[in-house]
Amino acid sequence: MRKQTQWIPVVAVTAMSLILAGLASLAAAAGDAAPSSKKDRPARVEAIEGSKVKRVTVTEKAAKRLDIQTVEVAKEGADQLAVPYASIVYDIGGGTWVYTMPQALTFVRQTVVVQSIKGVKVVLKEGPAPGTKIVTVGVAELYGAEKGVGH
């Protein structure tokens, strides 16, 4: 019995060494695939002075790969706004947001107040002005880029 317990640490150390070697090779491979400079990256994230949100600017190639699509915020009734449900992103604290597109390939997250959800349409109490372009496809990817997921 004593002999068996002596082998357990050797087997554990060997297994751990193999796992670490595998992880090291994966990290090296990932490093090779990483963009060589900041200008080669598909997205640039910049702080907005005086704001907790950041500006996300993507390359044209990244926008095509993500199939980013937008619509304009619609007016619903006298004092309400309407957006597609696909445009809404929820943060970890339960806050609701949409990504506006103030200029081509540039996106900024803006808080919204949801009044109701009717199928694929969301009626807002507060949000971007009618006519503002918002993202409907690519929302999760922009949020991940802004929050640094994968970095």
Side-chain angles (χ1 to χ4, degrees), residues 70-86:
T70 63
V71 298
E72 292 183 354
V73 174
K75 191 165 178 142
E76 179 84 8
D79 59 348
Q80 297 171 332
L81 307 166
V83 298
Y85 186 73

Side-chain angles (χ1 to χ4, degrees), residues 20-136:
L20 290 175
L23 290 174
S25 67
L26 284 174
D32 291 344
S36 58
S37 70
K38 285 187 177 185
K39 76 174 192 170
D40 293 336
R41 293 185 182 169
R44 184 177 70 242
V45 180
E46 304 168 296
I48 299 173
E49 191 173 329
S51 177
K52 292 182 180 181
V53 299
K54 297 177 181 174
R55 179 181 305 109
V56 179
T57 304
V58 299
T59 63
E60 194 170 317
K61 182 177 178 181
K64 285 180 183 176
R65 186 177 28 202
L66 295 174
D67 190 28
I68 291 179
Q69 296 177 25
T70 63
V71 298
E72 292 183 354
V73 174
K75 191 165 178 142
E76 179 84 8
D79 59 348
Q80 297 171 332
L81 307 166
V83 298
Y85 186 73
S87 67
I88 302 290
V89 63
Y90 296 91
D91 67 22
I92 195 164
T96 48
W97 307 81
V98 295
Y99 274 94
T100 63
M101 190 174 85
Q103 61 190 47
L105 304 176
T106 301
F107 308 93
V108 177
R109 190 165 43 100
Q110 183 175 335
T111 189
V112 295
V113 177
V114 174
Q115 178 174 318
S116 63
I117 300 171
K118 299 175 182 176
V120 296
K121 180 172 76 172
V122 177
V123 178
L124 303 175
K125 286 183 185 177
E126 296 176 23
T132 301
K133 285 187 178 183
I134 60 167
V135 178
T136 58

